[in-house]
Amino acid sequence: MIKVSKLSKSYGAIRALHEVSFSIESGEIVGLLGPNGAGKTTLMKILTGRLQPDGGDAHIQDMDVLTQRQDVQALIGYLPENAPVYHDLSVQGYLKMMAELRQIPPGAQLERIGEAVYATGLEDMLIRPIGQLSKGYRQRVGIAQAILHQPQLLILDEPTVGLDPTQIIEIRHLIRRLAQHSTILLSTHILPEVEQVCDRVIILMHGEVRADAKLAELAATANVVLVLQEAAPAIKKALQQMHEVGSVQEERSSDGFPAYRVTAKDGADELPTAVFALARQHDWPVRELRRDVRTLETVFNELATTA
């Protein structure tokens, strides 16, 4: 669906993007994650044909974003960070105007508007002026205009920014429903947003791709958490002497039992098996032995501190 190769963009002395490359397959929900100023919005503006890069290229469905802009835009539904809605228009009037701008045939407009209204839960708001709606409902109106023409690709820039917790949950559910019919690229700096909605994440730092992987792949580690029923002598020393082990941290489990967080040396994928064998050899009173799992927050902080 999307193929980006060595995209670069600067604003004077400020480098927004530097040789950014990635690809997204049809049907994926991909989170574009990064701190403010990482280059997320610049990247989205380039993909939607609203901004020219300094270098590199981008293709959507094998069409060049730079030379086939109108054809590409016909495939895309786009919600900028600040939804471009007209507060004096009713929801119905605004969607009718957008249907005409999208050149949806008059005979199909009513059906398309109805489908977008139903998908976004706006049935009871059709005659309300947009300016009288809550921010959550204005976001829904913005999403409704983005899906009117049944786009193959939906690009959402910070779709839940400024919403209350209830509205955030509603928009997340909506995005999941929309993913049944569209590939989705979702930009955000909110970590739980990605964990709740996306299957894969691309992390930008200072205009560069620092990570590109499925969430499960990012979370996976070779590290081990060993929890015991009761304290046993010399366990920490025995663990530290294993050639697969980088470090051992002694702590307590959430329910108060003695525990050890064992970090693998680089490339030591066999650590869980080795710890299990050592525990059997010494007959340690093992309560739990599991792989340690990194959260997205942990991954993000690791990348931020090494940027």
Side-chain angles (χ1 to χ4, degrees):
M1 175 60 75
I2 301 176
K3 185 173 179 58
V4 169
S5 179
K6 296 186 176 181
L7 273 186
S8 296
K9 179 66 179 178
S10 295
Y11 302 98
I14 300 173
R15 188 179 71 177
L17 297 175
H18 179 65
E19 296 192 348
V20 168
S21 299
F22 62 87
S23 61
I24 296 176
E25 300 297 326
S26 295
E28 285 193 285
I29 310 176
V30 178
L32 184 61
L33 182 63
N36 291 329
K40 304 186 301 298
T41 297
T42 295
L43 175 59
M44 289 190 159
K45 286 182 177 179
I46 292 173
L47 290 177
T48 55
R50 289 164 169 79
L51 187 66
Q52 289 281 111
D54 298 331
D57 56 72
H59 290 79
I60 294 178
Q61 288 289 63
D62 296 324
M63 292 187 290
D64 192 315
V65 170
L66 303 182
T67 62
Q68 298 171 277
R69 186 175 63 178
Q70 288 188 336
D71 292 332
V72 167
Q73 288 177 340
L75 299 177
I76 296 174
Y78 178 45
L79 176 67
E81 182 174 350
N82 297 308
V85 294
Y86 294 87
H87 289 200
D88 293 337
L89 291 178
S90 68
V91 172
Q92 182 174 273
Y94 172 72
L95 294 179
K96 178 74 165 77
M97 179 187 73
M98 295 305 298
E100 292 174 353
L101 290 174
R102 279 289 184 183
Q103 299 181 335
I104 297 173
Q109 287 184 11
L110 185 61
E111 181 180 358
R112 294 286 183 85
I113 291 172
E115 289 172 350
V117 165
Y118 177 76
T120 53
L122 289 168
E123 296 95 328
D124 296 332
M125 303 293 165
L126 285 176
I127 62 173
R128 293 272 300 275
I130 295 174
Q132 295 181 10
L133 301 179
S134 68
K135 185 163 186 178
Y137 272 107
R138 289 200 300 273
Q139 286 292 84
R140 289 173 184 245
V141 173
I143 294 174
Q145 66 81 22
I147 65 174
L148 271 176
H149 58 301
Q150 298 176 338
Q152 296 180 37
L153 172 63
L154 190 56
I155 296 180
L156 307 174
D157 191 359
E158 304 285 0
T160 62
V161 66
L163 303 187
D164 66 38
T166 300
Q167 293 168 337
I168 289 173
I169 292 171
E170 291 172 350
I171 295 297
R172 286 175 182 167
H173 289 326
L174 171 59
I175 292 169
R176 273 290 184 188
R177 293 198 301 272
L178 294 175
Q180 297 173 14
H181 307 288
S182 301
T183 302
I184 294 180
L185 179 61
L186 166 69
S187 168
T188 183
H189 62 275
I190 304 172
L191 301 182
E193 196 94 316
V194 174
E195 292 176 319
Q196 292 292 324
V197 175
C198 301
D199 308 311
R200 175 178 153 213
V201 62
I202 297 171
I203 299 178
L204 288 182
M205 295 275 182
H206 304 299
E208 298 180 349
V209 175
R210 298 298 306 276
D212 180 0
K214 292 187 179 295
L215 291 177
E217 294 171 353
L218 282 177
T221 73
N223 302 337
V224 168
V225 175
L226 172 66
V227 183
L228 304 178
Q229 289 280 30
E230 57 188 31
I235 286 183
K236 185 174 182 179
K237 182 177 180 181
L239 290 169
Q240 289 172 328
Q241 290 175 343
M242 298 174 66
H243 72 272
E244 300 93 346
V245 170
S247 64
V248 180
Q249 180 180 347
E250 193 170 353
E251 52 190 48
R252 286 276 171 179
S253 68
S254 58
D255 45 6
F257 290 92
Y260 299 86
R261 190 174 301 273
V262 187
T263 303
K265 288 182 179 177
D266 290 342
D269 293 333
E270 71 279 8
L271 180 61
T273 302
V275 171
F276 177 73
L278 187 67
R280 289 193 63 182
Q281 176 186 337
H282 291 278
D283 198 25
W284 291 339
V286 175
R287 177 181 176 85
E288 181 183 6
L289 177 62
R290 57 178 170 81
R291 281 187 181 270
D292 195 11
V293 177
R294 297 187 300 175
T295 65
L296 184 56
E297 181 178 5
T298 301
V299 174
F300 188 86
N301 288 335
E302 288 174 358
L303 294 173
T305 56
T306 58

